[in-house]
Structure formats: C-alpha cells, structure tokens
Amino acid sequence: GCRFIIYSPWSVHPDDELAEILDQTEGRIRWSTLSEAGAKSKLGKVREAWRIHLELKSDEDLQVVLAPIRIRRGPTLVELDEELNLHLQIAGLKPIQAGAILNPYDDLARKFIQRGRISFTRKDIEDICRSEGLWVGKTIAEPEAVRLGIRSFWKFAESLEDETDATLCLLRHFDGRIPKDQSVWREKIASEVQQFLRKNTSPGRAYHIRLQTHGTIAFLAGWELYPKSGVDIVPVQDSSVGRQIWRPGTISADTEKRYDQWQISTNNLESVDASEIIIAISVAHDIERDVLAYAQQNLQKAGFLIHFRLASIGPLSVSDGTHAQLLAQNLVKSIRELRQEQHLTGLLHVFVAAPNGLTFLFGRLAHVLGQIVLYEFDFEADRIGAYSPSMSFRP
C-alpha cells in the first residue's frame, strides 16, 4: 500500500544502465527489462549487485522491493511548498505561511511518532487540526460515495490510486497520449473499461468517477453506465477553479435560461449519395476547422457537418453538473432531430473537444443515436485535421 518516490534534481544520464530500465513517464523500474537480462550482461550485473546489497535471496524478493519505487526528476523546495499548500487548502487545512521558520505539520508528525500513534480516522485528523488551529474547514460533498478513477495519461493523475477506492490504469496501452497500436482501442481498452465498471458498480450506491483519460474513454465509461443500468454515478471534474462533483440538479425551463446553450451551424459537404453525419462539439476549444479538414480527406460518405459550440469556449465554459447534464440532453435531442430532418440514418462521426465530465454524460445518453464512431486528435502532429478514429459504438 505504499509508494516511495525518489526525487532527484538531475535526470539519468543516457549512458547509465539505469536509463535502460527507468520508465521516463511514470518513473518506475521496468522489471521485465531488468529481469530478462542475462546474468553476465550489464543489467544482469546491476540486478545481482542490488540483490547482494539489499541482502535478498532471490530475484523475486528484489522485484517486491523495486515495485513501489518511483524515481523522478524532482521539483525545487519552493515548488514543493507551493504544491503542499495547494493540497492543504483543498483538504480544508491552513496553508503554511510564506517565510515561516517552523512547519506545524512537521511538528505534529514528530509528536505522533514519539507517542507511537500511526493510525487515524478522518474525524481524528479534523479534531486534532481543530485543536491545533490548523483547520479552516471544507464541506466534503457526498462522503459516502464510492470513488472510482480511470487513467490513460499520467499528467495530473499521478496520485489517482490514493484518491479513489478503485482505479483502472490504462497507461500501458499508450506512448504518451498516442496508442501503441490502433487496435488497442477495440481489443484491449473497451473490454478492460467494461470489466472494471461492471466489477466496481451496482445499483443502490452512489459513485463518483474521475476520468483522467482521453475523451473516447470518458464517452465509453458513460456508454457502459447508461441510465437503464440503474447505477447512480456522476463525474468529478477537475478545472482551474478546483475539483467539482458534477451532480445535476433539477432541470426546468427556468434552468435553461440561466446557462449558455448550444449554437448550432450546418455545413453541407455536397457529397453524392451521402448517408452519414459528422458532429463536431466545441466546448474546450473550437475544432470546426480541424474536423472539416479531416472530413474532406477521409469521410466522403458524410453529407453534413453539424457544429455544436458554446458562445464562450474555454476551460470554464461548463458551469456545473446541471449545466453539463442540460448540454448532454439537448445535444442528443438536437442530433436526433437533425437526423430525421435530413433523412440520414448512417454512421455518426463524432469529434469532441469538451471536459470529460460532459463527454461522460453525453455517452450515457447516446444509445438512442445509432452507430457512432469517435475520433481522437493528435496534439503532437502539429497539423490541421490530425484526427484518427478510436472506437466504434453500436447500441
């Protein structure tokens, strides 16, 4: 249950043996590479030297020792202080004043160790911090909800296991944000997400889900947990203003007036005998130009490009869970109506640039739209229209 993170101000020299076995993304020791090296090879000698130094009897024992270790190029002390203060504030604790000589949390930890106290409940921590003047206060919404997490990229998701009750890590299927092979979407990821959600959800309990993932996976999670599943689950959305539980409130005619709604435009692609529709959803940023460039090269059977966008595009364009649910409902309703108006019943090609919380809610409602193909954008390609198909969905 522990993880030991070794921070170094230096990166590993490329000529050092450690560079061959250190995962540059996660900082873990790649045991498969180290264990498969021959006894007389450089890595074999490293393995033997470590085992002797640690007085271990076997390679299996060495694997146990190395598994929780992470080696990362570390932040400065100033950066660590800033990150600590951010987490203290999120937890409802008093931040450490800039320039302070003493750290009250260090002092508390030492006293606990001296007294042999190493186990605490949430209430214990709150009561102690109140008595020490360190509790600022924070309402923890829905504390009884089961917390789930799915991760397909590392940045901002390093501590997901520590913040959730059950976590699915899909990092092994990707190099950065790019899948190691396009087939992993269909052959690996779809079944793993399905199995994870079926194992860890059931009707009768409340669930929160954090989606540190590609948009396709957020949509997939929603698709698997469509409303008729009976599972009470809402997304937890990270944003520049903090982490929010997007549980929607009651939606009425008055509710709609308070929120920014879809602006819908149609681009006739003038394809002959076209039966398919392209849907571009611009919330985080405007993707119409990129989608149109991709469509003109690759989607000759599409008759129309329907662009859904908000008047204010950016990271804060979706206000809360009620706004996200309203947008998801109206998106599905509008797509169905447009299909009927244009008499187009073929594939629906969907391109999304939106918070994963909204994409998840859209996925929950999308079963009524027929067969859907989702697409992912390659941010490293540095070209217009750098999309590729990810996953196909059939009701």
Side-chain angles (χ1 to χ4, degrees):
C2 296
R3 177 159 295 161
F4 299 93
I5 302 174
I6 301 171
Y7 286 107
S8 169
W10 303 283
S11 57
V12 178
H13 194 282
D15 295 336
D16 193 284
E17 288 86 348
L18 186 59
E20 297 182 44
I21 56 174
L22 182 65
D23 186 303
Q24 295 298 327
T25 301
E26 298 181 52
R28 62 184 173 85
I29 303 295
R30 287 196 289 260
W31 177 251
S32 58
T33 304
L34 181 61
S35 62
E36 292 170 5
K40 295 183 179 181
S41 67
K42 286 185 178 180
L43 291 182
K45 293 176 180 178
V46 168
R47 186 177 66 238
E48 181 182 14
W50 285 358
R51 192 178 62 243
I52 293 172
H53 175 73
L54 294 169
E55 300 179 0
L56 300 174
K57 295 180 180 179
S58 66
D59 283 352
E60 288 73 18
D61 292 339
L62 179 62
Q63 182 182 11
V64 172
V65 172
L66 296 179
I69 292 175
R70 300 293 183 269
I71 302 174
R72 299 177 189 163
R73 184 166 182 175
T76 65
L77 290 176
V78 173
E79 290 171 332
L80 282 173
D81 285 344
E82 291 174 351
E83 184 177 355
L84 173 61
N85 273 343
L86 175 61
H87 284 285
L88 288 172
Q89 291 176 69
I90 291 173
L93 297 171
K94 185 177 179 181
I96 301 166
Q97 292 183 351
I101 298 174
L102 298 177
N103 182 325
Y105 300 99
D106 282 353
D107 294 339
L108 270 178
R110 290 191 188 94
K111 290 176 182 176
F112 293 145
I113 292 170
Q114 290 168 2
R115 296 175 184 178
R117 187 174 181 184
I118 58 173
S119 179
F120 304 88
T121 66
R122 183 196 301 272
K123 187 176 184 303
D124 291 337
I125 293 292
E126 288 188 14
D127 289 344
I128 292 167
C129 289
R130 287 180 198 277
S131 66
E132 297 295 323
L134 299 174
W135 179 254
V136 176
K138 174 176 176 282
T139 301
I140 302 172
E142 304 182 12
E144 301 305 317
V146 178
R147 300 167 300 169
L148 306 179
I150 304 178
R151 173 176 62 202
S152 64
F153 44 77
W154 182 251
K155 192 173 183 181
F156 305 125
E158 298 93 333
S159 58
L160 192 61
E161 291 94 341
D162 303 325
E163 300 168 354
T164 55
D165 299 305
T167 303
L168 173 63
C169 181
L170 300 168
L171 288 175
R172 64 189 178 282
H173 299 310
F174 297 89
D175 286 324
R177 296 181 70 104
I178 307 300
K180 292 181 177 178
D181 188 278
Q182 282 299 114
S183 65
V184 301
W185 289 111
R186 179 184 67 260
E187 297 176 2
K188 302 288 186 180
I189 294 171
S191 60
E192 289 183 27
V193 171
Q194 183 183 68
Q195 291 168 15
F196 172 77
L197 294 174
R198 289 183 179 181
K199 177 183 178 181
N200 291 287
T201 62
S202 61
R205 295 201 65 177
Y207 296 88
H208 297 162
I209 186 165
R210 284 187 62 197
L211 296 158
Q212 305 294 87
T213 67
H214 297 69
T216 296
I217 298 170
F219 184 93
L220 169 63
W223 182 271
E224 292 296 329
L225 295 168
Y226 64 105
K228 289 185 179 180
S229 68
V231 176
D232 175 14
I233 187 165
V234 292
V236 177
Q237 182 62 47
D238 290 346
S239 72
S240 58
V241 296
R243 191 171 295 161
Q244 300 174 321
I245 299 170
W246 272 11
R247 181 170 294 282
T250 303
I251 294 177
S252 63
D254 291 334
T255 306
E256 296 202 33
K257 296 176 183 177
R258 300 202 309 266
Y259 293 112
D260 189 7
Q261 295 300 309
W262 294 117
Q263 297 178 352
I264 306 173
S265 59
T266 302
N267 191 326
N268 190 332
L269 301 179
E270 300 179 353
S271 299
V272 179
D273 298 326
S275 61
E276 301 174 356
I277 296 179
I278 300 168
I279 303 296
I281 302 169
S282 297
V283 179
H285 51 269
D286 195 320
I287 62 173
E288 185 178 24
R289 185 176 69 149
D290 278 298
V291 173
L292 184 58
Y294 179 84
Q296 290 171 340
Q297 293 291 323
N298 302 280
L299 301 176
Q300 278 72 37
K301 291 184 179 180
F304 292 90
L305 190 159
I306 315 297
H307 186 209
F308 291 81
R309 62 162 290 158
L310 297 181
S312 175
I313 290 180
L316 299 179
S317 53
V318 182
S319 305
D320 52 31
T322 303
H323 190 196
Q325 182 69 24
L326 185 62
L327 289 172
Q329 290 178 357
N330 288 343
L331 178 61
V332 171
K333 177 174 178 288
S334 297
I335 293 173
R336 293 188 73 187
E337 291 173 350
L338 289 164
R339 263 191 183 283
Q340 293 169 359
E341 289 174 7
Q342 303 298 334
H343 304 288
L344 299 175
T345 58
L347 273 176
L348 198 67
H349 302 273
V350 178
F351 301 76
V352 184
N356 275 348
L358 172 56
T359 306
F360 170 81
L361 295 173
F362 174 38
R364 296 198 79 189
L365 303 177
H367 281 252
V368 298
L369 298 179
Q371 189 172 359
I372 297 170
V373 177
L374 253 64
Y375 294 79
E376 287 288 338
F377 188 78
D378 182 357
F379 289 93
E380 298 177 4
D382 194 27
R383 59 183 172 85
I384 296 174
Y387 281 100
S388 60
S390 55
M391 201 174 292
S392 178
F393 298 83
R394 186 188 297 272

